[in-house]
Amino acid sequence: MGTSSGWSIATRRESSPNSEFRSRPSAARRSRVVTVTTSVVVAVCITFLSVHTHVVTAFKASDFKTCATSSFCARHRDVRSHDPARAHKVEGPFSVDADGTSATASVVRVAGHDRPLTLTVTSYGHEGVVRVRFDDPQFPRYQVKDVLVDALDGTRTKFQSTTRDEKNGETTTFVLATPHNVDPDSQPITVRITHDPLRIALSIGGKETAVFNNHGKFDFERFAENGPEDEKEKVGDDDDETASEKPEKQSGWSETFNGHVDTRPFGPMAIALDISFPGDAVDVYGIPERATSLSLKDTKAAGGGGVESGDTAEDGEKDASADEEEETSKDDSQPYSEPYRLYNLDVFEYDHDSPFGLYGSIPVMHARSVRGDTTKGGMHGGMSKQTQESRVTYSAVYVHNPTETYVDVMRSGNSSEGAETLWISESGAADFFIMPGPTPGATQRQYSQITGTTAMPPAFALGYHQCRWNYVDETDVAAVDAGFDQRDIPYDVLWLDIEHTDGKRYMTWDKTHFPSPKRMIDDVASRGRKMVTIVDPHVKKDDNYGTHVEATQKRLYVRQPNAGGTDFDGWCWPGSSAYLDVVSKKVREWWSGKFSLQNYVGSTNDLHVWNDMNEPSVFNGPEITMRKDLLHEEGATEHREVHNVFGMFYHAATADGLRLRNNERPLVLSRAFFAGTQRIGPVWTGDNAADWHHLRKSIPMTLALGISGLTWSGADVGGFFGDPDAELMTRWYQLGAFYPFFRGHAHLDTKRREPWMFGEPYTRTIRTAIRTRYQLMPYLYTLFEAAHREGTPVLRPLWFEFPDDDSVAKNDISAMVGPALLLAPVLEKSVESIVVYLPKGVWYDYDTHERHVGPTTVTKAVTLATTPLFIRGGFIIPRKDRARRSVKAMGGDPLTLLVAPDENGDAVGETYVDDGVGYAYVGSDAFIRRGFVFKKGALTCGSPSKETAKGSGVESGNAFAAREATKPGVGGDFPDANVKVERVLVLDSQKTIRQPNVRLGEDWQLTV
């Protein structure tokens, strides 16, 4: 299909970013650029544009499903506890496998009309992680590949003992591995399975941490081999007053939503998992992505009801012109009416308070359980007797299923019940892991051992990124790049959105506006910087586009569920598009090869990539995504089985392609994600808006991602949609400087907003915020290495560091940057002071060094220039204080050590450095890790230890934390291998040692 006769909605030319003049925006928002060939019939064009228009005007709830319009959710959500029709039991004894790490039994429905299931319980590692999996042996469920770490099977651990008790109802108890060899006070971790009715409880020291099927709501719909007539769906009578909220019924198993038919050839195959967290008071966190509070609200009241959520109008469409300052009238203590949804979707200008799922899904939930009748005690890691008897414990569950899932959260009001959750998945496996904790660091580490840790970022990627839809040509790129240097504002990466391509053919260049891409990239790189181009998963159907021609010939696309298995045709930015079947490893390998310098003409090793729209977004598809009955892996797998993991596979293939160029660490940003994405690269929170609500909500969103393993994340600084005023833009930079991923980005129709576009004093204040990020780069890089090694989040909730403090359980307006910095950003317009809660310990104001002793609340006066930031006593923070243009330019610059003594006058810290580029740190130990100890007025630098490990953010005092942290490294040929310490500043005494003539890689001691 040719494109020479196509038409397009033209991109406007924008004013120079170096001009202080800011042009007026158009009165109405315009559609994103779409190229459509004239061969497409008018009717199809109209259909596409009508689908597309709703995306660019506002979030329209009626375009998306709810539980009531998702038949599988409607069937399982409102069932009563211990319904006899759902009851299951274990039939017969468990059989333990030959290596003693796994046990299997048969599970049957008590009513007796379904095939038996197999129940398999497997022990992993030495911290009590257990996997529970149900399957149908006659029709095994799909098992998603490449999500769990490759080495997981090698960590299977032998049960310590197995006991079957037939008294007072039959039970089987498995004692899991415990760390007796390193902690003599550790207590047993057990899995106790009640046979009839089926109930599975994981306990530490005899106290239940997580319970499966406590309310008898588990269900597993068996495949009906005799056809739909045997299992007609019951979705409500037509004369029911709520019939309009029910799915549109079709003959057989098919169902329709908004005119889109899902054939559902395998019929109802839903899974319902009933998982509870016992305790007198329980907070639950995680299951991103959505714009909600960090501590997840209930989705059903004690009686099963709920209230409407968000600012949704009666017709289901949010008013895009509503005043951003308007507060909603709903009571935030009331539950949502909808369950939390896990289904990757392209959601345009999403609501700032809604359980609705967004671009990515990670089905992991953390629980903080308070038991009022137990001994109070410190929580400093490990599984010691004191920890296990603490009044607060933490645990987590990961549900290993990438299909569409709804999650209800309910606290009944009966304190002994804790929190009940119900996970309803459309299909896939009944497969979940329980992480026993009992500390935040332990649950994080245990989850990381299942799905992996954060990819070690290239150092430049931790700097500031400047992006816009779109920098219009090479002159514009040069002007923006120069604008930073002219104003002494550091940055590291300049990004190009979809308009840089030749007609939305990815990995091509618009020859008019970007005629010399290699020269352009090399010019930016000559100042130590990088560039990024966007590459989306839809491929323009064009017979003159080599990528499409080859993919078509090799049958590499997602296919239709028809007799011929023809390639799926959907609509996205280029118009008619096909979608690579990245679920197939063969296709991923082919796609990776397209990023070689020979194939990606005009690219260089200094060009990195951005994957957008990879949910995947299909403008004319149901819910703006791909039909569930489309086929992957040459027709072997339905899309419904892999929907939430599709974007991650595309992300992985792209990152592998960049890595293959020169074996350097790639930067590939993705919008869609799933469990395991942390092993690939960063994500961002998508199409947010330029308002104070979205500024505030970016904190719990990034925190939720962090505790779900995906710590390398951030929000678009300034908001993607709309025009922030100067104050909002400044406040967003002050917060964004502490996002793990720090990027400014804006919509095509917004005013130019590079950091200097607002004039003084805003330019000066924004410059200070960005420079603070660069000043703290040694600390941030050390935190990222700990995240890579142990899975600890860089930006973390206060409860991660202060797990016993009930005051921080719901706090999501402050955050810890690693273990040593508490950030309390200004989140409201025109305020003159804010109130900050400081937990137990000594704290120092980062700017004034004023000392505070917590727990306390501090009223801090703020001006435009103020970013409330506090240093935690007991820590040593490494900085680089010389202002440079980029991270690369900082290489070899000397360190300043900021010593913040605790109440005893002591402090510890660590610093990690490597080449920031490649992988020599893995095989050759080509890095330097040094520990600092400040005690009795003396500062010592030496090999790292468990004592200093907490300075890099890993859990201290635990036998399993920091298992690699004591490796000091052997150095190497990189700029920071011989870095000096130029200044030591001790905050409580304000004493300073200047030019002590010591180096990071040496052992030394200084007396202050």
Side-chain angles (χ1 to χ4, degrees):
M1 180 172 62
T3 60
S4 59
S5 60
W7 61 268
S8 67
I9 303 170
T11 306
R12 72 176 183 188
R13 302 286 294 181
E14 303 196 50
S15 59
S16 167
N18 280 321
S19 169
E20 301 300 332
F21 170 77
R22 305 175 71 230
S23 60
R24 293 175 60 86
S26 58
R29 289 190 176 150
R30 289 189 285 175
S31 300
R32 299 189 183 187
V33 177
V34 181
T35 302
V36 184
T37 64
T38 55
S39 62
V40 179
V41 296
V42 173
V44 175
C45 292
I46 293 173
T47 299
F48 166 64
L49 291 175
S50 67
V51 169
H52 188 47
T53 299
H54 88 272
V55 179
V56 298
T57 54
F59 172 71
K60 190 175 181 182
S62 60
D63 283 338
F64 300 100
K65 285 188 173 184
T66 63
C67 182
T69 55
S70 299
S71 62
F72 73 92
C73 183
R75 287 196 304 274
H76 293 279
R77 187 184 188 202
D78 292 320
V79 299
R80 66 182 187 272
S81 296
H82 305 293
D83 183 345
R86 304 172 75 87
H88 286 74
K89 66 178 181 180
V90 177
E91 189 172 65
F94 277 85
S95 173
V96 179
D97 65 4
D99 62 7
T101 64
S102 186
T104 303
S106 179
V107 170
V108 298
R109 191 184 296 273
V110 174
H113 61 272
D114 274 337
R115 292 186 304 276
L117 304 173
T118 56
L119 164 60
T120 305
V121 179
T122 308
S123 171
Y124 291 92
H126 294 277
E127 296 189 71
V129 174
V130 64
R131 182 180 191 175
V132 177
R133 181 181 173 88
F134 296 86
D135 209 344
D136 181 345
Q138 187 170 344
F139 298 100
R141 293 299 179 94
Y142 179 79
Q143 296 190 50
V144 63
K145 300 176 286 292
D146 302 318
V147 172
L148 305 177
V149 296
D150 293 338
L152 182 62
D153 278 347
T155 67
R156 287 170 53 148
T157 309
K158 188 175 182 178
F159 296 129
Q160 299 296 300
S161 66
T162 303
T163 305
R164 183 181 179 189
D165 183 0
E166 298 185 67
K167 299 177 182 177
N168 303 316
E170 187 171 0
T171 62
T172 300
T173 302
F174 302 99
V175 178
L176 306 181
T178 52
H180 283 288
N181 58 324
V182 291
D183 187 350
D185 289 332
S186 64
Q187 295 189 10
I189 303 170
T190 63
V191 175
R192 186 174 187 268
I193 302 175
T194 303
H195 288 215
D196 187 7
L198 174 65
R199 184 180 187 270
I200 304 175
L202 187 142
S203 301
I204 300 179
K207 293 177 182 175
E208 292 182 343
T209 298
V211 181
F212 169 75
N213 211 33
N214 197 43
H215 298 270
K217 296 182 180 181
F218 165 67
D219 209 351
F220 188 115
E221 293 179 342
R222 278 70 157 180
F223 170 63
E225 55 185 318
N226 294 325
E229 294 304 318
D230 291 343
E231 292 196 12
K232 290 282 190 180
E233 298 219 44
K234 297 178 181 179
V235 294
D237 298 328
D238 289 342
D239 58 353
D240 191 313
E241 65 180 359
T242 61
S244 63
E245 298 179 359
K246 302 296 183 180
E248 302 170 45
K249 291 183 282 187
Q250 299 290 311
S251 61
W253 282 323
S254 67
E255 65 182 37
T256 302
F257 178 76
N258 284 354
H260 298 279
V261 178
D262 178 5
T263 60
R264 301 200 310 158
F266 300 102
M269 297 183 68
I271 301 292
L273 301 178
D274 166 358
I275 300 172
S276 299
F277 301 97
D280 295 314
V282 179
D283 286 274
V284 292
Y285 315 93
I287 57 170
E289 182 180 38
R290 66 203 75 256
T292 57
S293 56
L294 178 64
S295 176
L296 297 172
K297 291 162 53 174
D298 286 4
T299 56
K300 296 177 72 175
V307 297
E308 292 300 322
S309 60
D311 300 314
T312 305
E314 188 174 1
D315 66 354
E317 183 169 356
K318 189 181 80 173
D319 181 2
S321 63
D323 184 356
E324 67 183 39
E325 298 299 319
E326 181 182 356
E327 294 293 336
T328 62
S329 60
K330 70 180 187 297
D331 182 352
D332 284 341
S333 66
Q334 293 297 311
Y336 292 123
S337 62
E338 275 291 303
Y340 298 102
R341 192 181 187 197
L342 294 164
Y343 192 59
N344 296 2
L345 291 170
D346 179 359
V347 184
F348 184 90
E349 199 169 1
Y350 51 84
D351 185 18
H352 67 268
D353 183 14
S354 171
F356 189 80
L358 299 178
Y359 312 94
S361 302
I362 304 179
V364 63
M365 179 179 285
H366 295 256
R368 179 185 190 270
S369 300
V370 179
R371 301 175 190 267
D373 60 349
T374 55
T375 305
K376 294 182 179 181
M379 294 271 289
H380 304 293
M383 294 183 181
S384 67
K385 185 174 181 180
Q386 179 189 28
T387 296
Q388 293 165 28
E389 294 181 353
S390 175
R391 58 183 292 275
V392 182
T393 56
Y394 292 76
S395 59
V397 62
Y398 164 63
V399 176
H400 185 47
N401 189 330
T403 70
E404 181 183 3
T405 299
Y406 289 86
V407 184
D408 262 323
V409 175
M410 187 178 75
R411 276 149 285 217
S412 67
N414 181 345
S415 63
S416 63
E417 291 292 322
E420 171 192 354
T421 67
L422 182 64
W423 304 63
I424 308 170
S425 301
E426 183 179 19
S427 59
D431 189 0
F432 60 95
F433 293 77
I434 301 175
M435 284 71 74
T439 64
T443 57
Q444 200 74 34
R445 182 172 59 253
Q446 292 155 11
Y447 174 68
S448 296
Q449 289 167 6
I450 297 167
T451 64
T453 62
T454 300
M456 190 64 190
F460 76 84
L462 300 188
Y464 174 62
H465 301 245
Q466 183 62 46
C467 185
R468 177 174 182 80
W469 179 27
N470 202 81
Y471 290 119
V472 296
D473 54 25
E474 293 178 2
T475 301
D476 199 4
V477 167
V480 172
D481 180 65
F484 281 89
D485 289 339
Q486 291 164 7
R487 296 164 179 85
D488 293 325
I489 301 173
Y491 96 103
D492 267 84
V493 190
L494 190 61
W495 295 54
L496 296 178
D497 210 316
I498 56 177
E499 310 308 329
H500 82 278
T501 63
D502 177 13
K504 311 303 185 296
R505 301 168 184 85
Y506 298 109
M507 291 189 279
T508 67
W509 302 87
D510 181 318
K511 294 180 176 58
T512 299
H513 298 114
F514 296 93
S516 307
K518 188 177 183 300
R519 184 208 57 78
M520 172 186 66
I521 298 166
D522 287 344
D523 179 62
V524 171
S526 70
R527 287 173 289 283
R529 295 170 177 143
K530 310 289 184 180
M531 291 193 69
V532 165
T533 52
I534 194 168
V535 179
D536 290 348
H538 46 268
V539 178
K540 183 170 185 173
K541 297 186 72 171
D542 176 357
D543 291 342
N544 294 317
Y545 182 25
T547 298
H548 170 65
V549 172
E550 184 180 354
T552 301
Q553 292 172 345
K554 293 183 175 181
R555 299 301 315 273
L556 303 181
Y557 287 133
V558 176
R559 301 182 189 180
Q560 298 270 15
N562 53 30
T566 55
D567 293 340
F568 168 65
D569 186 321
W571 288 78
C572 210
W573 299 139
S576 180
S577 303
Y579 290 74
L580 292 169
D581 179 15
V582 289
V583 177
S584 165
K585 187 175 181 180
K586 179 184 73 173
V587 176
R588 293 201 299 272
E589 290 174 348
W590 175 85
W591 184 237
S592 295
K594 294 301 173 185
F595 290 91
S596 69
L597 300 184
Q598 293 74 26
N599 285 327
Y600 190 172
V601 177
S603 69
T604 79
N605 288 327
D606 292 307
L607 183 68
H608 294 255
V609 174
W610 166 21
N611 290 159
D612 198 0
M613 316 297 287
N614 54 333
E615 294 76 26
S617 180
V618 182
F619 291 159
N620 62 337
E623 300 191 272
I624 320 173
T625 192
M626 195 172 279
R627 282 168 37 203
K628 293 178 178 178
D629 58 359
L630 296 177
L631 298 176
H632 298 272
E633 299 181 296
E634 299 182 351
T637 305
E638 272 198 304
H639 182 71
R640 81 181 72 248
E641 302 289 350
V642 295
H643 176 83
N644 286 344
V645 82
F646 178 92
M648 187 181 88
F649 286 155
Y650 187 73
H651 189 194
T654 304
D656 285 344
L658 297 194
R659 192 179 296 109
L660 288 170
R661 295 185 311 194
N662 56 359
N663 199 35
E664 292 183 356
R665 302 175 214 169
L667 167 64
V668 180
L669 178 71
S670 175
R671 191 170 71 174
F673 53 83
F674 190 67
T677 288
Q678 66 269 18
R679 307 194 302 264
I680 305 167
V683 302
W684 88 107
T685 61
D687 295 347
N688 58 352
D691 63 47
W692 292 87
H693 294 305
H694 279 260
L695 169 69
R696 188 226 177 278
K697 200 54 61 96
S698 71
I699 301 176
M701 290 182 76
T702 50
L703 290 176
L705 287 165
I707 63 171
S708 301
L710 193 42
T711 192
W712 196 4
S713 68
D716 283 344
V717 171
F720 180 64
F721 292 109
D723 292 309
D725 63 24
E727 182 186 3
L728 175 59
M729 195 70 193
T730 301
R731 293 303 188 197
W732 215 316
Y733 270 104
Q734 291 171 337
L735 168 58
F738 297 93
Y739 292 151
F741 176 70
F742 181 27
R743 182 184 75 155
H745 186 35
H747 185 273
L748 180 74
D749 255 356
T750 62
K751 303 172 186 177
R752 293 297 285 253
R753 58 163 88 148
E754 286 74 24
W756 53 87
M757 296 300 289
F758 294 89
E760 298 296 352
Y762 306 103
T763 298
R764 178 173 62 252
T765 307
I766 292 171
R767 179 193 301 115
T768 298
I770 297 175
R771 280 186 174 178
T772 299
R773 168 77 169 210
Y774 281 77
Q775 181 186 52
L776 289 169
M777 198 60 66
Y779 178 64
L780 289 173
Y781 197 68
T782 299
L783 294 178
F784 265 95
E785 191 275 334
H788 172 63
R789 179 168 28 93
E790 295 289 342
T792 50
V794 173
L795 193 71
R796 53 188 69 172
L798 269 64
W799 52 256
F800 197 94
E801 291 295 323
F802 303 94
D804 276 342
D805 190 340
D806 294 337
S807 300
V808 302
K810 291 180 170 59
N811 186 320
D812 58 11
I813 58 172
S814 298
M816 295 296 297
V817 185
L821 291 174
L822 188 153
L823 174 68
V826 178
L827 302 173
E828 298 178 32
K829 187 177 180 65
S830 303
V831 298
E832 296 180 352
S833 65
I834 66 169
V835 176
V836 181
Y837 175 73
L838 300 176
K840 182 180 179 180
V842 176
W843 298 89
Y844 302 86
D845 187 292
Y846 187 83
D847 295 317
T848 67
H849 301 167
E850 180 182 0
R851 187 176 186 269
H852 306 275
V853 178
T856 187
T857 55
V858 175
T859 300
K860 182 171 177 61
V862 296
T863 66
L864 180 70
T866 307
T867 305
L869 184 65
F870 298 86
I871 307 170
R872 183 180 176 188
F875 289 86
I876 299 170
I877 296 176
R879 299 191 320 203
K880 287 191 175 184
D881 290 346
R882 298 184 183 182
R884 301 291 191 185
R885 61 158 53 114
S886 66
V887 169
K888 184 175 183 179
M890 298 169 67
D893 278 357
L895 293 173
T896 290
L897 299 179
L898 207 58
V899 181
D902 62 14
E903 59 273 15
N904 298 316
D906 302 334
V908 298
E910 278 193 357
T911 299
Y912 173 90
V913 296
D914 61 23
D915 67 6
V917 176
Y919 296 95
Y921 72 91
V922 179
S924 306
D925 287 347
F927 63 86
I928 295 174
R929 182 185 291 113
R930 305 294 284 168
F932 304 109
V933 177
F934 182 76
K935 190 179 290 288
K936 297 181 180 180
L939 176 63
T940 303
C941 174
S943 294
S945 65
K946 284 193 290 185
E947 179 186 12
T948 64
K950 75 172 187 177
S952 64
V954 301
E955 191 177 43
S956 64
N958 186 278
F960 300 104
R963 56 189 178 277
E964 296 291 324
T966 55
K967 294 177 67 174
V970 298
D973 184 17
F974 51 88
D976 280 339
N978 203 33
V979 68
K980 292 182 178 180
V981 176
E982 70 172 351
R983 188 165 69 119
V984 177
L985 174 60
V986 182
L987 296 186
D988 64 344
S989 64
Q990 296 298 301
K991 293 182 178 178
T992 302
I993 300 178
R994 301 183 186 277
Q995 302 300 332
N997 195 30
V998 295
R999 297 182 184 274
L1000 178 65
E1002 301 170 347
D1003 292 345
W1004 45 263
Q1005 185 176 82
L1006 300 173
T1007 300
V1008 179

